[in-house]
Amino acid sequence: MALMKIKFDLQKRVKLAQFVWFMYWFSVMAGVLVLSMGLFFKIELRKRSELMDNNESHVLPNLLIVVGLMACGINAFGGKVCYDSLDPTKFSKWKPMLKPFLVSCVGFNMLLFLTALLCFVMRIPLQFTLAEGLKNGMKFYKDTDTPGRCYMKRTLDLMQMEFRCCGNNNYRDWFEIQWVSNRYLDFSTKAVKDRISSNVDGQFLMSGVPFSCCNPSSPRPCIQAQMTNNSAHYSYDHYTEDLNVWKRGCREALLSYYGGLMNSIGALVLLVTMLEVAVMIGLQYVNTSLSTLTNPEDPESESEGWILEKTIGETFTDLMATMKTMGKGSQVAEGAEAAVATVS
């Protein structure tokens, strides 16, 4: 028994073909949107690629670009088939291709669903990528005259100002590294010598942060140096004072931004997947309604359309039987080849 069988006359078939044709071209625009989101996401990642610990983060935008291009091509082909289905002479040339095309559409829809799922789960590895990348980037903040690292200071400063964040986990991360280059330190002064000699690694550490951590909304001039020294500033207590630097860490800020972006893209891809499933079902109805005409010589005769020729259970059983037959056939072929090789 066919699944969701519907009877069609000429008028219903024409309306169905026109509607599915329109939905296919709407799906082409959806594919362009997915492609655009993939390109946008890739550009956003490249802006801060120096702060990423690996290149695996670009897998998702690359997949979105490929899926978007595939959606444009598949839907354009489907739209052409629906348009030609109104003319029996034109439709006859597409008829042998429809079954393989519909099978490929099932595979494509599975790929779309996996892409949407990947958008939601990529937040977890991205968290570790950002944590390690920001940690390394902060170490290279001072290397403004080192080839390959000279732009790290600018990248970090712009990021902290744009995302209103400071440090990796929080502003205190800057206390644990030397972020001022040695070329700007006066090694003839006792204060610099004492500070460097007091550190095991010989680094110039201080309780201060770069200017890009300052919150311009604070009414008080920014206190970015000697932040833990209450006596260095008038009417100041770093334990109770509402600090005028950003308190949120940049890992959290970037993860929130990229996570929100990936969630939005994932929701979009899910909607596109549902649209693709709908147009695939519509094309199946067009195909079966034209293949079951009561009188093939009379285009106005009635016909029946369905999603599956048999029930889901029967279709699954037939599919498993076909796969078993193919497996046995390959085993027989391998055995024959082995026998020939032994004889020779």
Side-chain angles (χ1 to χ4, degrees):
M1 182 180 177
L3 180 65
M4 297 184 69
K5 184 187 293 184
I6 300 176
K7 289 190 176 183
F8 290 91
D9 54 21
L10 178 60
Q11 186 178 5
K12 286 184 178 180
R13 285 195 298 270
V14 170
K15 287 184 177 179
L16 174 65
Q18 290 174 339
F19 177 74
V20 176
W21 172 83
F22 172 78
M23 292 304 294
Y24 260 120
W25 287 106
F26 185 74
S27 298
V28 171
M29 300 307 297
V32 172
L33 183 59
V34 172
L35 171 63
S36 303
M37 293 303 293
L39 289 171
F40 174 74
F41 190 28
K42 190 173 183 66
I43 291 171
E44 286 299 297
L45 286 174
R46 279 195 173 277
K47 283 182 181 177
R48 302 166 191 94
S49 59
E50 296 171 332
L51 304 177
M52 304 288 178
D53 186 45
N54 54 50
N55 295 321
E56 283 76 12
S57 54
H58 291 275
V59 170
L60 180 57
N62 291 338
L63 182 58
L64 288 168
I65 293 170
V66 171
V67 165
L69 289 171
M70 290 177 64
C72 293
I74 289 174
N75 291 316
F77 179 81
K80 175 62 176 174
V81 172
C82 287
Y83 182 80
D84 287 348
S85 67
L86 300 173
D87 187 344
T89 57
K90 291 183 179 179
F91 181 72
S92 59
K93 67 180 180 181
W94 300 116
K95 194 172 180 181
M97 306 180 192
L98 278 182
K99 191 170 182 180
F101 175 70
L102 287 167
V103 172
S104 66
C105 286
V106 173
F108 176 66
N109 291 334
M110 292 175 64
L111 178 62
L112 270 177
F113 180 75
L114 290 175
T115 303
L117 190 63
L118 192 62
C119 288
F120 295 114
V121 301
M122 273 294 288
R123 182 187 181 97
I124 299 173
L126 182 63
Q127 181 176 358
F128 296 104
T129 296
L130 287 172
E132 194 64 28
L134 284 168
K135 182 180 178 181
N136 293 331
M138 290 173 64
K139 291 179 181 178
F140 303 143
Y141 181 89
K142 67 180 185 301
D143 299 338
T144 53
D145 53 354
T146 304
R149 303 176 185 172
C150 52
Y151 293 106
M152 186 59 71
K153 177 183 181 298
R154 179 177 181 274
T155 300
L156 281 168
D157 284 335
L158 290 175
M159 177 200 65
Q160 291 189 143
M161 290 187 289
E162 179 181 356
F163 289 93
R164 299 184 175 187
C165 60
C166 186
N168 189 347
N169 297 306
N170 55 58
Y171 68 93
R172 288 184 174 273
D173 292 333
W174 289 108
F175 298 176
E176 301 172 2
I177 61 169
Q178 178 180 338
W179 53 271
V180 177
S181 176
N182 287 339
R183 65 187 296 188
Y184 303 115
L185 296 176
D186 185 2
F187 286 90
S188 63
T189 60
K190 184 176 183 300
V192 173
K193 289 180 179 179
D194 291 346
R195 190 174 292 273
I196 292 177
S197 60
S198 64
N199 183 261
V200 176
D201 298 324
Q203 294 184 333
F204 182 80
L205 305 182
M206 58 182 181
S207 58
V209 297
F211 77 97
S212 53
C213 285
C214 294
N215 181 357
S217 301
S218 175
R220 180 169 186 162
C222 185
I223 298 177
Q224 64 177 107
Q226 301 187 61
M227 294 177 64
T228 58
N229 185 0
N230 293 336
S231 61
H233 311 283
Y234 176 73
S235 184
Y236 174 77
D237 185 353
H238 76 278
Y239 289 110
T240 60
E241 183 78 10
D242 186 14
L243 297 176
N244 49 10
V245 297
W246 303 117
K247 296 181 180 179
R248 185 168 69 156
C250 291
R251 177 167 60 92
E252 179 188 348
L254 287 173
L255 189 62
S256 175
Y257 172 71
Y258 285 122
L261 189 59
M262 287 189 293
N263 288 341
S264 300
I265 295 175
L268 171 67
V269 176
L270 277 179
L271 291 174
V272 173
T273 304
M274 290 188 284
L275 178 62
E276 292 290 342
V277 171
V279 294
M280 181 185 67
I281 292 173
L283 182 61
Q284 172 67 353
Y285 272 117
V286 171
N287 179 34
T288 53
S289 64
L290 289 172
S291 302
T292 59
L293 287 171
T294 307
N295 182 7
E297 302 297 328
D298 181 13
E300 295 186 5
S301 60
E302 292 187 348
S303 63
E304 293 180 340
W306 54 75
I307 297 178
L308 294 174
E309 192 172 359
K310 300 179 181 179
T311 62
I312 296 177
E314 292 172 340
T315 303
F316 180 76
T317 302
D318 291 347
L319 180 62
M320 294 301 295
T322 303
M323 293 176 65
K324 287 181 180 179
T325 303
M326 292 175 62
K328 289 179 180 179
S330 63
Q331 289 178 0
V332 171
E334 289 175 0
E337 290 177 0
V340 171
T342 303
V343 172
S344 60

